[in-house]
Amino acid sequence: MPLLSGVVAFRVLVHSRHDLTEVLAYSDDTKEVISRIVPVRLTTIGAVTTWSANLWIDTSRLNVGKQKIHIRAWAGTRLAGRMRRFVVVQSEETTLSAVPDAAQSSSYVQSPGSPTDDATSWVLSQPVERHYPPGALLSGPVKSILVLRTDQLGDVSASLPAMARLRRLFPQAHVTMLLQKSNVPVARASGVADEYLDLTLRYDPKTERRYLDAEADAHLRTQLRGRSFDLAIDLSPGAESQPLLLLCSARHRVGFKPEQFPFLDFGIEVISRERINRKPIISHTAHVELLVSTLGQLMDQRRETIPRREPISPQLDSTPPIIVHSGARHPINRWPIENFLQLCGALAAASGREILFFVDDHALDDAARVRCSELPGVTLMECLSMDAFDALVASAALFVANDTGPKHLAAARGVPVVSIAIPRLNWQEWGQNQGGVILSRAVPCAGCGLNNRDACGRDAACITTISVETVLKAALDIFERSKTEKEKMSPDGAKIPV
């Protein structure tokens, strides 16, 4: 059953022959309405229409524990559809105690101080978040690590280089190893951990698998009881020992086969094949160490910028412009064009720089052209070749855009970027490489992965409600910071064009 805490989202699709007017959520305990919304029409096939409703519910109005939430679709006074969902409600204190990182997620919205039946107003009243890329792969310091290598002697021996590398990667961490009792002396003599826990696995020749019997299970649980780790990592590339990670309390769980084990927070899969028999050819030692080395590389996700090889036009180099780009392939990613127009005018006035404004064809109507012509310091740009566009982007002092391809190009060229992002995907994945800021709003339906704006059920409120003032302030902050940093980097402190 779903575990609910804070403000949560129920996005439902309703297929009905009737024109829906409202979708309501009811508490099973009190029978009160806890959320309501007007559904959005998606498609009609024959006499049946599909509707989308995205209900936001403040779970602090519900009793803690198991219960049911009833959802009913209405066509006027006619009940057109109903469903119920069994859930478990958990207090926020319990959630934040068990998962301290929850408050950092764009999907977790804490309940207001007093329970509310208007969760929408509460969510949209919260400040837009600023994220500075790149995000750390592991949140918070890593002070305690549990390493699993519960296989046989050969597996443990082949993994010693990976264990040693892990210690070098986190030199301040207290490392605890869990391995079979017979292999403890080998690991201890190698100095790869500070503490050693043991277990005994039985082998079933019929299934060719190892397992914990009742006595060994109880022994392991006793050793792990009351302990918690910042990082728990299983070095086995197989599929037998990963479930043991669930027996420990860990802020982050790492291992192989992340598709097979969804409780892993990070993992990789390594596949190599010999050309004839198609069996693996990467050594087991290298295979295991790849997990640790990849983890190490991602502790700092900044990657190099790639400047253009061709020189920038002297005219652009003397007074770099600010570029604002309103385009995005999916409509759900688009900040309103009216907001972009207001931003351009305000940014030109505040920065003293020329604003080059790119608008996709779908939004480039006569009204947009007239508005741009009336904005001092703003130039509406026509379509350019990719090479010309790239050269112009590489020359910019600042790039402001939706979360879309052009902003990634600007970041790759080393230009500071202000990205107006919708949390349909995590900002950590699709935020720009480095430099600038990502603006996004935390909403309970973050991570929806939708491309269809209508299916959202809220007309992409998570991005459309980001104010012009919020983006303008972030843009000016990044612009001024960039100027200061470039002046510091110039020879002898002389000012250079920014």
Side-chain angles (χ1 to χ4, degrees):
M1 288 185 287
L3 182 64
L4 308 186
S5 184
V7 179
V8 300
F10 278 71
R11 193 174 65 85
V12 298
L13 297 179
V14 183
H15 309 284
S16 177
R17 295 176 179 270
H18 308 286
D19 287 339
L20 301 187
T21 56
E22 197 170 32
V23 176
L24 305 176
Y26 301 81
S27 165
D28 186 60
D29 289 336
T30 65
K31 313 304 179 186
E32 294 178 342
V33 174
I34 54 177
S35 183
R36 63 177 72 228
I37 196 168
V38 176
V40 175
R41 186 192 302 266
L42 293 182
T43 60
T44 300
I45 301 177
V48 178
T49 298
T50 300
W51 304 78
S52 175
N54 189 345
L55 296 151
W56 292 353
I57 300 171
D58 173 19
T59 63
S60 68
R61 298 189 62 197
L62 304 172
N63 294 325
V64 172
K66 296 180 181 179
Q67 62 172 280
K68 293 174 286 191
I69 291 178
H70 299 270
I71 298 175
R72 294 169 187 163
W74 296 89
T77 59
R78 180 179 188 139
L79 182 61
R82 63 191 300 169
M83 67 171 287
R84 64 179 179 176
R85 190 68 187 267
F86 292 87
V87 300
V88 176
V89 178
Q90 181 171 272
S91 69
E92 284 197 300
E93 293 78 8
T94 302
T95 298
L96 295 175
S97 174
V99 189
D101 300 337
Q104 301 176 22
S105 171
S106 295
S107 301
Y108 190 82
V109 180
Q110 292 183 249
S111 296
S114 300
T116 179
D117 60 357
D118 186 9
T120 296
S121 295
W122 164 252
V123 171
L124 298 182
S125 70
Q126 301 308 295
V128 173
E129 297 176 338
R130 286 192 185 190
H131 306 288
Y132 296 93
L137 177 63
L138 304 180
S139 61
V142 177
K143 298 180 179 179
S144 58
I145 302 175
L146 175 65
V147 183
L148 277 66
R149 190 73 228 231
T150 60
D151 315 77
Q152 300 306 296
L153 175 61
D155 305 292
V156 173
S157 301
S159 300
L160 290 175
M163 298 174 192
R165 186 162 187 170
L166 187 67
R167 291 211 74 169
R168 292 194 299 270
L169 183 60
F170 301 101
Q172 305 303 319
H174 181 89
V175 179
T176 302
M177 280 206 65
L178 173 63
L179 63 168
Q180 293 213 54
K181 189 172 183 179
S182 60
N183 293 325
V184 169
V186 173
R188 180 180 287 115
S190 304
V192 291
D194 301 295
E195 182 183 5
Y196 301 89
L197 306 180
D198 63 82
L199 80 169
T200 301
L201 292 175
R202 306 298 181 187
Y203 180 74
D204 185 344
K206 293 182 179 179
T207 62
E208 298 184 348
R209 295 180 65 87
R210 294 178 175 85
Y211 64 95
L212 283 172
D213 62 17
E215 181 181 354
D217 181 84
H219 174 66
L220 177 57
R221 291 175 185 272
T222 298
Q223 293 181 96
L224 294 175
R225 185 174 297 121
R227 306 185 58 160
S228 61
F229 303 90
D230 295 320
L231 171 65
I233 179 170
D234 185 4
L235 296 180
S236 173
E240 286 188 345
S241 56
Q242 279 89 341
L244 294 176
L245 289 172
L246 293 174
L247 298 181
C248 70
S249 172
R251 199 170 80 238
H252 302 283
R253 292 180 173 89
V254 174
F256 290 95
K257 302 188 184 305
E259 290 292 334
Q260 185 175 345
F261 299 103
F263 56 79
L264 294 177
D265 300 301
F266 171 74
I268 63 173
E269 183 64 283
V270 180
I271 298 174
S272 65
R273 294 187 177 94
E274 199 249 43
R275 294 294 302 276
I276 303 300
N277 64 26
R278 313 306 290 165
K279 295 296 183 180
I281 55 175
I282 293 179
S283 76
H284 192 84
T285 298
H287 190 154
V288 174
E289 192 169 353
L290 275 173
L291 178 62
V292 177
S293 61
T294 303
L295 180 64
Q297 288 179 350
L298 295 179
M299 293 304 293
D300 182 356
Q301 296 192 62
R302 288 174 296 180
R303 295 297 179 260
E304 63 178 316
T305 58
I306 310 297
R308 278 178 63 91
R309 298 179 63 182
E310 292 81 0
I312 297 173
S313 164
Q315 181 180 0
L316 293 174
D317 194 36
S318 61
T319 310
I322 293 175
I323 296 178
V324 177
H325 195 296
S326 69
R329 180 161 59 97
H330 299 298
I332 198 171
N333 285 350
R334 297 172 189 157
W335 199 46
I337 187 67
E338 175 60 30
N339 289 7
F340 273 113
L341 289 166
Q342 293 181 35
L343 175 68
C344 286
L347 196 53
S351 69
R353 291 297 176 92
E354 181 182 14
I355 308 300
L356 305 182
F357 185 34
F358 286 87
V359 184
D360 280 354
D361 290 341
H362 66 84
L364 190 56
D365 54 17
D366 292 340
R369 289 183 180 277
V370 171
R371 286 289 307 279
C372 283
S373 67
E374 297 171 346
L375 294 173
V378 179
T379 301
L380 180 62
M381 301 297 294
E382 301 295 334
C383 184
L384 301 177
S385 69
M386 184 58 74
D387 188 59
F389 178 71
D390 182 16
L392 190 62
V393 168
S395 73
L398 179 71
F399 195 93
V400 184
N402 292 304
D403 185 7
T404 187
K407 75 125 185 198
H408 290 289
L409 175 61
R413 297 305 187 205
V415 176
V417 171
V418 175
S419 172
I420 310 165
I422 183 171
R424 53 185 284 272
L425 302 173
N426 286 331
W427 72 267
Q428 293 95 330
E429 180 185 11
W430 282 108
Q432 60 266 21
N433 173 31
Q434 59 176 293
V437 66
I438 299 156
L439 301 174
S440 70
R441 183 182 290 286
V443 291
C445 51
C448 64
L450 293 174
N451 291 328
N452 184 341
R453 185 164 178 158
D454 292 333
C456 161
R458 289 182 174 266
D459 198 28
C462 52
I463 186 171
T464 58
T465 60
I466 296 176
S467 70
V468 174
E469 292 74 18
T470 297
V471 180
L472 175 63
K473 187 177 188 312
L476 292 175
D477 288 349
I478 297 300
F479 177 63
E480 293 299 328
R481 180 190 302 176
S482 177
K483 286 201 304 182
T484 300
E485 290 176 351
K486 288 198 174 184
E487 288 171 3
K488 290 180 179 179
M489 292 172 58
S490 63
D492 304 321
K495 290 189 176 183
I496 57 176
V498 178

